[in-house]
Amino acid sequence: MKKDYIDNINSILSSGVVENEKLERIDLLRNILLDSQVEDSIYQQFLVNFKHIDDNDMFFTKIQDLVYRLNYAINKWLIPIHKIENEDDIKIVIQDLIDQDIDFYSAVSYDDSDKEMIEEFDDVYERKIKL
């Protein structure tokens, strides 16, 4: 399963788009999804949510949702709102979000309603900062 997971992530990142939405900072996404300590946490949570998926199309769709949510968190929230641009700092925040059970795994709409994710990210992030 992990090989298929990695192959799908590489395919998505190579295309540079998810459901006609352009991905930004693809190298950073790749480092977080495949080459970092965060990768194991993301993958383990993915398994918790989707280990019973037998349909390859649904498996790919769920990975697209994951990549899109992570892209959204980094490029629409962390960098522009919190001015966190350093890769190591981004990895720390993403790991903290995962540890706080942030939802990187549910379906997305690929429209303006996805802005609600920013509120969720901020709620979790603000609680973590106050600790």
Side-chain angles (χ1 to χ4, degrees), residues 61-74:
T61 298
K62 290 298 160 193
I63 294 172
Q64 282 183 309
D65 293 342
L66 166 62
V67 171
Y68 179 79
R69 282 180 173 271
L70 187 62
N71 180 70
Y72 207 94
I74 293 167

Side-chain angles (χ1 to χ4, degrees), residues 47-94:
L47 284 180
V48 166
N49 287 282
F50 305 116
K51 66 182 171 190
H52 299 295
I53 292 179
D54 294 330
D55 181 286
N56 286 337
D57 290 337
M58 181 57 74
F59 185 71
F60 184 77
T61 298
K62 290 298 160 193
I63 294 172
Q64 282 183 309
D65 293 342
L66 166 62
V67 171
Y68 179 79
R69 282 180 173 271
L70 187 62
N71 180 70
Y72 207 94
I74 293 167
N75 295 299
K76 306 282 190 223
W77 176 64
L78 274 179
I79 293 173
I81 295 173
H82 292 284
K83 308 298 183 219
I84 299 173
E85 297 183 20
N86 176 279
E87 183 173 320
D88 290 334
D89 294 339
I90 290 171
K91 288 177 183 179
I92 289 168
V93 172
I94 297 298

Side-chain angles (χ1 to χ4, degrees), residues 7-121:
D7 289 347
N8 283 313
I9 286 175
N10 280 322
S11 175
I12 292 165
L13 295 176
S14 293
S15 75
V17 295
V18 173
E19 294 294 323
N20 296 319
E21 295 291 328
K22 187 175 188 293
L23 300 172
E24 300 174 54
R25 296 177 178 86
I26 292 173
D27 288 339
L28 176 60
L29 289 170
R30 182 174 281 112
N31 288 343
I32 290 170
L33 287 164
L34 300 175
D35 297 328
S36 73
Q37 296 170 333
V38 178
E39 178 267 336
D40 189 54
S41 295
I42 291 173
Y43 179 70
Q44 292 306 317
Q45 286 298 339
F46 184 85
L47 284 180
V48 166
N49 287 282
F50 305 116
K51 66 182 171 190
H52 299 295
I53 292 179
D54 294 330
D55 181 286
N56 286 337
D57 290 337
M58 181 57 74
F59 185 71
F60 184 77
T61 298
K62 290 298 160 193
I63 294 172
Q64 282 183 309
D65 293 342
L66 166 62
V67 171
Y68 179 79
R69 282 180 173 271
L70 187 62
N71 180 70
Y72 207 94
I74 293 167
N75 295 299
K76 306 282 190 223
W77 176 64
L78 274 179
I79 293 173
I81 295 173
H82 292 284
K83 308 298 183 219
I84 299 173
E85 297 183 20
N86 176 279
E87 183 173 320
D88 290 334
D89 294 339
I90 290 171
K91 288 177 183 179
I92 289 168
V93 172
I94 297 298
Q95 183 64 58
D96 285 343
L97 292 174
I98 294 166
D99 292 344
Q100 298 297 317
D101 292 325
I102 198 75
D103 184 4
F104 281 122
Y105 312 98
S106 293
V108 292
S109 300
Y110 302 104
D111 62 22
D112 281 345
S113 67
D114 289 335
K115 290 179 181 176
E116 294 173 5
M117 284 188 284
I118 291 175
E119 292 174 26
E120 181 183 4
F121 298 145

